[in-house]
Amino acid sequence: MVVVDRKEEIREFLISRRAKVSPEQAGIPSYGELRRVPGLRREEVAQLAGVSTDYYTRLERGSLRGVSDSVLEAVASALQLEEAERAHLMDLARTANTPSRRTPRRPTQQRVRPGVLRLLDGMTGVAAMVQNGRGDVLAANLLGRALYADVFNSAVAFTDVPGRLPNQARYLFLDPRAADFYPDWNAVAAITVAMLRLESGRNPHDRALNELVGELTTGSGLFAALWAGHDVRIHTTGTKRFHHPVAGDLSLQYETLDLPGDEGQTLFTFTAEPGSASENALAFLASWAASPPEPATHTTHTATAGDPAAGSIAAVRSHAQPGRNPGKTEPSHD
């Protein structure tokens, strides 16, 4: 388990953001001088933010306790932080002003409300699921489970805690098949780590999150390198490509919606452009998912209707793992 050091987290985040801003970007003339550090110097950030160098140095050493929002906004502007980075800085300041816990807490099992499950099941032709900030899949409709069948059938995607929730980040970094499933695996990996870093800033005492980060840092060199970059990302909308073992290649538009009545839960939907090959592939996948399952020949981690990761409809078939090309070498992530 990773025990988050708030001061170290703040220090490394501010240093990493300062290194990304060149004097030219900040409007500071360099006069061709040789600079010993990448990006801006501390005194230059202080000048741009309208605070003393000593004061900014104290902030960069991790002391955000009692710092006003106006000062944080000035620092964010000086460092040219994006929306997600500003939110992360505010989260770091908020948690710095909150008494720390001796032992990180394990959150109670999240449950998806029956009304949300009915909403998922009513979304025909749309792959939909509900996730929390750690990337645990809390619920999915039939097409959502068919789209992410590799995740639901992955032995490494599941936690050992009661409820057996499949985790997207665990599948992405610890299951070699993920590199086949996501044609843009490197980009998806970077976004996933950035989202987990943002969640860590919001909930530093989430024991399950800290354990997940520790597990992935140990198990994946790439995760460890990306995590050390301190990048953050807000996931809202975009396009994601899949290489599905049943439906083939799909390019789907995703939208996200935070559920206001259920803190920490986000609804993800995936749709295809009308008239596109992806729309045909998604329709084929929906038909395949709705067909009667063949008798299972082995036990897998597939969610069932009674599991937290299942909606109020029957689960995806347990054999949803078509054979791979036996001559293809599965890639390594590290």
Side-chain angles (χ1 to χ4, degrees):
M1 182 175 67
V2 172
V3 179
V4 180
D5 184 329
R6 286 289 91 185
K7 284 195 172 184
E8 184 70 11
E9 179 87 358
I10 294 165
R11 187 184 77 84
E12 292 186 2
F13 176 69
L14 288 176
I15 290 175
S16 68
R17 298 312 96 175
R18 177 162 59 87
K20 289 179 176 289
V21 184
S22 68
E24 292 74 20
Q25 289 173 316
I28 299 174
S30 60
Y31 304 111
E33 63 177 316
L34 239 130
R35 301 174 69 88
R36 293 180 299 173
V37 296
L40 298 177
R41 301 186 179 105
R42 284 177 176 172
E43 57 267 26
E44 291 169 338
V45 176
Q47 181 182 1
L48 291 168
V51 297
S52 70
T53 301
D54 287 344
Y55 187 77
Y56 177 75
T57 300
R58 181 170 70 85
L59 300 184
E60 201 172 270
R61 286 175 178 166
S63 299
L64 292 186
R65 188 179 294 275
V67 179
S68 67
D69 287 350
S70 60
V71 170
L72 292 174
E73 286 291 348
V75 170
S77 296
L79 295 175
Q80 301 183 13
L81 300 187
E82 298 176 351
E83 179 188 357
E85 295 171 324
R86 285 175 180 265
H88 187 57
L89 179 60
M90 294 299 178
D91 286 335
L92 293 175
R94 173 180 53 79
T95 55
N97 289 307
T98 303
S100 61
R101 299 170 180 266
R102 290 182 178 270
T103 304
R105 61 178 174 83
R106 181 179 293 281
T108 56
Q109 183 71 53
Q110 288 180 298
R111 300 289 178 180
V112 180
R113 288 182 291 111
V116 176
L117 294 178
R118 290 192 293 271
L119 175 64
L120 287 175
D121 292 345
M123 300 174 75
T124 58
V126 177
M129 63 179 61
V130 175
Q131 292 184 192
N132 60 20
R134 295 187 299 273
D136 296 329
V137 181
L138 305 176
N141 67 359
L142 186 64
L143 186 51
R145 292 199 296 278
L147 178 63
Y148 280 95
D150 270 12
V151 179
F152 282 96
N153 286 322
S154 171
V156 301
F158 286 78
T159 63
D160 293 329
V161 300
R164 300 187 340 155
L165 301 177
N167 181 270
Q168 296 273 23
R170 186 176 282 108
Y171 165 76
L172 183 66
F173 286 99
L174 301 183
D175 193 325
R177 296 171 303 173
D180 287 334
F181 185 57
Y182 293 114
D184 305 312
W185 187 88
N186 286 314
V188 174
I191 291 172
T192 299
V193 175
M195 291 172 60
L196 287 177
R197 176 64 82 174
L198 188 68
E199 180 68 15
S200 177
R202 283 193 294 253
N203 297 299
H205 306 303
D206 184 336
R207 182 177 174 184
L209 175 60
N210 294 340
E211 289 174 347
L212 175 64
V213 171
E215 178 187 357
L216 297 180
T217 300
T218 302
S220 169
L222 180 60
F223 179 90
L226 291 171
W227 185 257
H230 287 267
D231 291 330
V232 291
R233 174 77 178 265
I234 295 175
H235 215 40
T236 53
T237 184
T239 300
K240 184 173 285 189
R241 296 198 303 143
F242 303 88
H243 179 69
H244 196 277
V246 170
D249 293 329
L250 301 98
S251 179
L252 302 179
Q253 180 79 21
Y254 67 83
E255 301 287 343
T256 65
L257 175 66
D258 291 334
L259 301 179
D262 304 281
E263 186 178 355
Q265 295 186 17
T266 301
L267 173 66
F268 287 75
T269 62
F270 296 86
T271 57
E273 186 72 23
S276 66
S278 292
E279 183 183 43
N280 294 333
L282 195 63
F284 172 78
L285 184 61
S287 175
W288 173 83
S291 63
E294 299 173 8
T297 58
H298 60 279
T299 302
T300 69
H301 284 286
T302 302
T304 64
D307 285 346
S312 57
I313 53 179
V316 138
R317 63 190 70 188
S318 61
H319 65 285
Q321 206 59 267
R324 300 283 175 157
N325 183 349
K328 183 173 182 180
T329 302
E330 293 185 339
S332 171
H333 298 161
D334 296 336

